[in-house]
Amino acid sequence: MRKLVAFSLLVVLAVAACTPTSSGTPSPSGAAKLTTLRLPEAAKIVNTMDPGISSGGAGLEQIQNTFEGLAYVDQVSGEIKSGQAEKWTISPDGLTYTFNLRSGLKWSDGQALKASDFEYAWKRATDPATKSRYAQTLWPVKGAEAFGTGKGTADGMAVKATDDKTLVVTLERPAPFFMHLAATWTAYPIRKDTIDKNGDKWTLTKDTYISNGHYRLVEWKPEQSMTVEKNPNYWGENNGPDTIVWTLYDDVATKSVIAYEAGEIDRAVLVGADITRAKADATLSKEIKKFERQGSQWIILDTTNAPLNNVKVRQALSLATDAKRLNEVVLKDAYFNSVSIVAPGIPGQKKENALGFDVAKAKQLLSEAGYPDGKGWPANVKFTFASGAAETKAIAEAVQGIWKSNLGIDIVLEPMEDKAFDNWRTTRKDQPFNMYVSGWGSDYEDPNNWYNLLFDSKADFFYAHWKNTEFDNLVGQGLKENDVAKRKTTYESADKIINTEAPYITVYHWARFDLIKPYIQGLNHYRVLGRIQGYLVKVNK
Amino acid sequence: MTTYVLRRLLWVLPSLFVVFTLTFILVHATPGSPWDESDKPLPAAVKENLARQYHLDDPLPKQYIDYLANVLRGDFGPSYRSVERSVSEIIAATLPVSAQLGLASMLFAIVVGVPLGALAAVKHNTWIDYVSSLITVTGIATPPFVRVSLLIVFFSLVLGWLPTGGWEGIFDSRAIIPILAIGLGPAAILARYTRSSLLEVHGQDFIRTARAKGLTETAVVIRHAMKNALIPVVTVAGVTLANVITASFFVERIYSVPGIGRQFVDSVSGRDYPLLLGIVLVFALLISLVNLLVDLSYGFLDPRIRYR
């Protein structure tokens, strides 16, 4: 009897609990609910919110949400769209750009935005005293490189506000990619009065961090969080969340997943073992999203140091590297499989140019180079890497094994402390080495950002010490070519040369893994730089 | 007494100078510069300009003298990694957070550790003693980064009671996990020392006298035994400050507390020399002062100790 009473009580309770309380509190359907997007960000690197100083990295997402340049790169389509400039004209010789600003542009504090704010910002970022980490962005402007390296003056830099709404820029030489540079954060406008008054501290508070983008700063607590709200003075529409809060973490990949699972943030950064764990988890597996990032990770070879100075040896190593297995098995599919040296999407890149994976051919080439089945291979060929990066270590170990079994050669692993490795790499400029791992992601989707900036023997960004006169001539022509189709084929010929000469062996192409809560829509990472644009996101909560 | 304190304070200066010089040599002997980035290397021209602007291209002896002169004027210089805040400002913003957290953790350690050890000594070789041993051994054996991770998993993910990180002041629920994570280590050490020191005192003549006078056991333990037993405990308490500081390196980092310990770790891995030197000097000063306080407190605990 007692059991029965207890049971019926339970049933009554259960039913009561399940009945919707329609007569209860009325839902505030009339008033628009304020929405907040909660994102993670790396704390340490948010060391500047100053667009003129930032070199990208963490902090860029905050800068891009609070500022807007003359033009911007659409974070879905990748097209250049007009931002603060309503339109622009380019002179027939490709040297002079005239930008016409929209009318009625305002700063976040309500003051009028003028063309002179751009002129000031560009000259300030180029001035060596500003200590910009990205000053070279504006160097194609006439007189900028001289000013930036202390050989010229601000007045000698050819950027001029001819009136409040017109900005005229003259370039040193034609640069078909210049609109990409004009859309970069270094070229965002800056308010002179706040810099004059607050110096380096202008980015710290709501009242001094005056911006012109979709959002404006509410609060920045160093190492803790950053909050922005809709900027009522922005010229266009903003249908994104009312506020965006970034929580800052030292180890953003590890901590954001924990905070995400505890429901504190709406997006988490997923790397390494967490990818495998999330894929196996019933809930998390539905919230994983993999984004393409236009970048390549390579094993960089010193092409002047024996035995890798022999092109056949380099080709053999490249052909024997099972990059598909490296990504899919060793790195748990955290990236995209290797296609070619330059990342897909860059005009000039052609997957047919890549050497591919062919062990038989690799063995034959190695034999022709004088090391049949690895016999006579020198004993001290070193693979140098930063020991702090677990993934690079995994790559080095895997490659060691792959080459041993495919070619019968031995390489020596040489781990170094992270900063010691960075320093070692810096000194490779004029010192010999064998190989190390590094990579590059596009700053803008243009061949200049790869072929000229990295591989031209005058640049030799990764110190492969690789020099090919024909390649240098081709990329030099491509740099100045204004005809799009002609430019593409010129770079394609260069692409063929570098893939054949194999100073780099591609390990994978970059990717981003995110966990995103199901109530978030429109959160996108565009493949170039890929920061989240708040105004594109919907928070349905 | 006053001369003793003054003499001790004067000795702090040369020790700070030695610490400063050693750290300066060590940081410059370590390879790597603040602008060697693994993710995206800066172009050489930009790096050269930065080195010039921050005087990193000056000869080392000149850098040393310039920096020392600035420090003597109370200016720790600019941080290489943070554009908007100078080293002095970073220390001023983060030291109070760590000080609150450290004091709360020390308080926790004393309030929990000393009674736990005393209880274990009084109930020597009973289950209370064994349970206390289990707690203290666990506290000593687990490093702070393991403790803080386990606490986050348990309280934030399993139970969902506390946030996974952050800082809103010492009276916010966000302070609980870091206090526990930092305080458990020193608490365990204090408990161990209190226990063994009390047991040692227990066998001595003045305790027998106190018992012979007919005092209650509580009065014997608290008034006579405890006071004498506290000398080694106070000595250890001084040492545990270093323990609290090193624990803060991990705990602040993992729990996202904006304290000075986190800045210390960042300044080492980021080769932010001015920030690193500034923090090292602050830590050295703190440890010197606490050691002095510890030495002074002996006089209050043991009347036989005199200062000259």
Side-chain angles (χ1 to χ4, degrees):
Chain A
M1 183 64 197
R2 241 164 73 202
K3 266 187 190 160
L4 193 73
V5 173
F7 180 68
S8 26
L9 249 172
L10 259 177
V11 170
V12 170
L13 276 174
V15 170
C18 293
T19 318
T21 52
S22 51
S23 57
T25 47
S27 64
S29 53
K33 221 173 71 190
L34 290 177
T35 50
T36 302
L37 176 63
R38 303 166 305 167
L39 300 170
E41 185 59 278
K44 183 170 56 181
I45 328 170
V46 182
N47 54 11
T48 181
M49 286 267 287
D50 189 327
I53 295 180
S54 172
S55 65
L60 179 56
E61 192 164 291
Q62 291 72 21
I63 292 172
Q64 288 188 336
N65 274 288
T66 47
F67 277 87
E68 188 179 78
L70 295 162
Y72 67 92
V73 177
D74 186 287
Q75 292 292 291
V76 180
S77 67
E79 289 162 19
I80 296 271
K81 292 200 175 155
S82 78
Q84 302 277 300
E86 195 169 19
K87 56 184 173 32
W88 52 88
T89 47
I90 307 169
S91 64
D93 60 0
L95 285 174
T96 307
Y97 284 64
T98 307
F99 295 93
N100 301 104
L101 300 197
R102 290 174 193 277
S103 45
L105 285 177
K106 279 180 186 166
W107 286 98
S108 57
D109 66 347
Q111 279 200 33
L113 190 145
K114 299 178 189 143
S116 56
D117 295 326
F118 282 95
E119 183 189 333
Y120 168 72
W122 289 29
K123 288 182 173 170
R124 173 180 176 267
T126 310
D127 188 344
T130 307
K131 306 197 229 355
S132 172
R133 274 72 162 155
Y134 216 62
Q136 78 283 5
T137 310
L138 296 168
W139 284 5
V141 176
K142 196 174 178 193
E145 185 167 356
F147 177 35
T149 48
K151 295 180 200 89
T153 58
D155 291 337
M157 185 174 165
V159 51
K160 185 86 196 135
T162 50
D163 60 51
D164 282 355
K165 284 174 64 186
T166 315
L167 188 77
V168 181
V169 181
T170 311
L171 305 186
E172 198 83 58
R173 64 188 76 86
F177 50 92
F178 183 69
M179 279 315 296
H180 281 283
L181 301 186
T184 308
W185 57 94
T186 319
Y188 288 170
I190 280 178
R191 264 277 283 280
K192 185 171 185 295
D193 58 337
T194 187
I195 307 273
D196 287 345
K197 211 166 117 204
N198 308 294
D200 285 339
K201 295 183 182 1
W202 74 283
T203 54
L204 287 171
T205 66
K206 175 182 174 169
D207 297 328
T208 56
Y209 195 64
I210 302 166
S211 62
N212 69 331
H214 289 83
Y215 289 87
R216 63 179 181 189
L217 185 69
V218 176
E219 194 185 19
W220 175 13
K221 295 200 228 163
E223 282 96 44
Q224 290 214 80
S225 66
M226 200 175 287
T227 309
V228 298
E229 64 183 4
K230 276 186 183 171
N231 175 9
N233 292 314
Y234 180 68
W235 63 269
E237 272 195 348
N238 181 358
N239 298 314
D242 298 285
T243 50
I244 308 174
V245 180
W246 285 276
T247 308
L248 313 179
Y249 303 104
D250 278 328
D251 187 347
V252 69
T254 319
K255 275 308 295 279
S256 67
V257 175
I258 295 170
Y260 179 89
E261 287 186 74
E264 292 170 9
I265 50 175
D266 301 326
R267 169 200 167 219
V269 178
L270 213 51
V271 298
D274 272 327
I275 297 178
T276 318
R277 182 175 71 90
K279 278 180 179 168
D281 185 285
T283 323
L284 296 182
S285 59
K286 295 192 200 84
E287 298 167 8
I288 299 178
K289 209 159 172 212
K290 187 178 184 179
F291 297 94
E292 183 196 346
R293 228 178 130 188
Q294 193 170 63
S296 296
Q297 199 76 2
W298 308 290
I299 301 168
I300 291 147
L301 311 174
D302 183 349
T303 57
T304 52
N305 193 12
L308 303 175
N309 58 350
N310 185 336
V311 64
K312 286 186 176 168
V313 174
R314 295 200 300 272
Q315 288 171 339
L317 292 185
S318 185
L319 282 161
T321 308
D322 190 349
K324 185 168 183 283
R325 211 185 105 211
L326 265 176
N327 177 40
E328 290 176 4
V329 181
V330 179
L331 302 171
K332 314 282 181 218
D333 206 16
Y335 301 96
F336 290 99
N337 289 349
S338 162
V339 177
S340 65
I341 290 178
V342 172
I346 294 290
Q349 180 272 346
K350 245 175 109 178
K351 70 171 191 284
E352 293 77 17
N353 289 340
L355 288 179
F357 174 58
D358 187 340
V359 179
K361 205 169 159 197
K363 280 183 155 167
Q364 191 205 327
L365 281 165
L366 194 70
S367 171
E368 286 170 21
Y371 309 104
D373 294 319
K375 281 185 199 77
W377 181 258
N380 57 347
V381 177
K382 283 188 198 141
F383 193 126
T384 313
F385 60 95
S387 54
E391 191 188 278
T392 313
K393 185 163 175 269
I395 293 172
E397 284 166 355
V399 164
Q400 187 187 38
I402 288 172
W403 288 345
K404 173 83 187 160
S405 66
N406 287 350
L407 298 173
I409 60 167
D410 278 306
I411 54 162
V412 181
L413 300 188
E414 186 185 36
M416 285 185 190
E417 187 260 351
D418 295 14
K419 273 282 175 181
F421 171 79
D422 292 341
N423 182 59
W424 173 87
R425 186 174 64 177
T426 307
T427 55
R428 288 317 96 184
K429 188 175 178 169
D430 40 24
Q431 285 178 54
F433 65 97
N434 294 127
M435 62 187 82
Y436 70 91
V437 170
S438 192
W440 182 258
S442 293
D443 287 333
Y444 47 92
E445 196 163 35
D446 189 273
N448 170 58
N449 197 231
W450 290 73
Y451 298 95
N452 300 90
L453 199 72
L454 309 179
F455 307 138
D456 186 317
S457 69
K458 290 183 286 301
D460 193 21
F461 199 88
F462 292 98
Y463 311 134
H465 308 144
W466 178 67
K467 187 175 164 70
N468 182 298
T469 318
E470 200 189 340
F471 178 89
D472 286 357
N473 289 339
L474 283 168
V475 298
Q477 284 167 29
L479 182 64
K480 285 175 283 190
E481 181 59 64
N482 279 321
D483 183 285
V484 178
K486 224 167 151 189
R487 191 163 183 250
K488 186 162 176 262
T489 44
T490 309
Y491 277 112
E492 275 171 356
S493 312
D495 190 69
K496 172 90 183 158
I497 296 173
I498 192 168
N499 277 286
T500 312
E501 286 266 307
Y504 303 77
I505 299 171
T506 310
V507 185
Y508 57 76
H509 297 293
W510 292 7
R512 264 178 225 274
F513 265 97
D514 271 16
L515 284 171
I516 298 168
K517 293 281 186 195
Y519 51 79
I520 299 290
Q521 265 144 28
L523 195 156
N524 186 51
H525 296 280
Y526 179 59
R527 64 174 180 261
V528 178
L529 293 167
R531 299 312 196 273
I532 295 161
Q533 287 295 325
Y535 72 90
L536 295 172
V537 179
K538 287 267 172 298
V539 182
N540 301 313
K541 201 170 72 163
Chain B
M1 174 89 176
T2 322
T3 34
Y4 174 80
V5 173
L6 279 177
R7 206 173 59 226
R8 283 287 302 266
L9 282 177
L10 278 179
W11 266 111
V12 170
L13 288 175
S15 2
L16 287 183
F17 178 74
V18 171
V19 167
F20 172 80
T21 309
L22 280 179
T23 317
F24 186 89
I25 294 170
L26 279 176
V27 293
H28 286 280
T30 333
S33 96
W35 298 287
D36 281 330
E37 287 293 343
S38 48
D39 189 29
K40 199 143 202 186
L42 292 179
V46 172
K47 236 193 276 190
E48 276 159 28
N49 178 49
L50 288 172
R52 199 164 46 238
Q53 297 291 336
Y54 285 107
H55 304 291
L56 273 174
D57 54 350
D58 284 347
L60 274 186
K62 185 176 183 315
Q63 286 189 44
Y64 175 79
I65 291 166
D66 288 350
Y67 191 72
L68 191 62
N70 283 338
V71 168
L72 290 176
R73 282 198 299 269
D75 175 14
F76 289 107
S79 156
Y80 296 156
R81 311 265 302 174
S82 158
V83 174
E84 33 273 301
R85 294 194 300 167
S86 71
V87 170
S88 306
E89 283 163 336
I90 292 176
I91 292 177
T94 54
L95 185 62
V97 172
S98 293
Q100 288 176 45
L101 187 58
L103 283 176
S105 309
M106 284 295 276
L107 197 70
F108 169 84
I110 292 166
V111 168
V112 171
V114 174
L116 193 68
L119 206 63
V122 174
K123 306 284 179 190
H124 185 47
N125 283 343
T126 64
W127 66 270
I128 294 178
D129 188 18
Y130 300 141
V131 169
S132 144
S133 283
L134 184 75
I135 297 172
T136 53
V137 168
T138 315
I140 291 169
T142 51
F145 56 88
V146 171
R147 288 201 294 269
V148 69
S149 308
L150 288 178
L151 288 168
I152 293 173
V153 168
F154 187 67
F155 285 110
S156 309
L157 288 183
V158 177
L159 296 176
W161 290 352
L162 298 172
T164 61
W167 180 258
E168 290 293 333
I170 195 75
F171 298 110
D172 187 85
S173 64
R174 284 174 179 83
I176 296 175
I177 287 179
I179 289 176
L180 286 179
I182 297 176
L184 272 173
I189 297 172
L190 286 181
R192 301 288 290 173
Y193 273 89
T194 310
R195 179 179 173 274
S196 58
S197 160
L198 252 185
L199 284 176
E200 204 180 298
V201 169
H202 247 262
Q204 294 194 4
D205 289 346
F206 66 91
I207 296 293
R208 204 174 308 138
T209 316
R211 288 224 174 88
K213 284 196 295 189
L215 291 179
T216 60
E217 187 61 22
T218 326
V220 171
V221 170
I222 289 176
R223 223 184 301 152
H224 295 272
M226 208 48 182
K227 200 173 163 192
N228 285 284
L230 275 182
I231 290 200
V233 175
V234 169
T235 313
V236 178
V239 178
T240 50
L241 175 74
N243 200 304
V244 166
I245 290 175
T246 46
S248 76
F249 297 164
F250 306 102
V251 173
E252 288 181 358
R253 204 178 147 78
I254 297 174
Y255 204 72
S256 303
V257 179
I260 197 167
R262 190 169 161 194
Q263 294 291 342
F264 180 79
V265 178
D266 280 353
S267 66
V268 175
S269 56
R271 303 288 192 269
D272 195 341
Y273 311 134
L275 183 57
L276 178 62
L277 282 164
I279 296 177
V280 164
L281 284 180
V282 168
F283 282 161
L285 183 67
L286 271 179
I287 291 177
S288 310
L289 292 181
V290 168
N291 280 339
L292 175 61
L293 280 180
V294 167
D295 287 351
L296 290 177
S297 65
Y298 291 156
F300 297 99
L301 290 168
D302 188 340
R304 286 171 301 183
I305 295 175
R306 291 275 177 278
Y307 297 101
R308 273 173 243 221

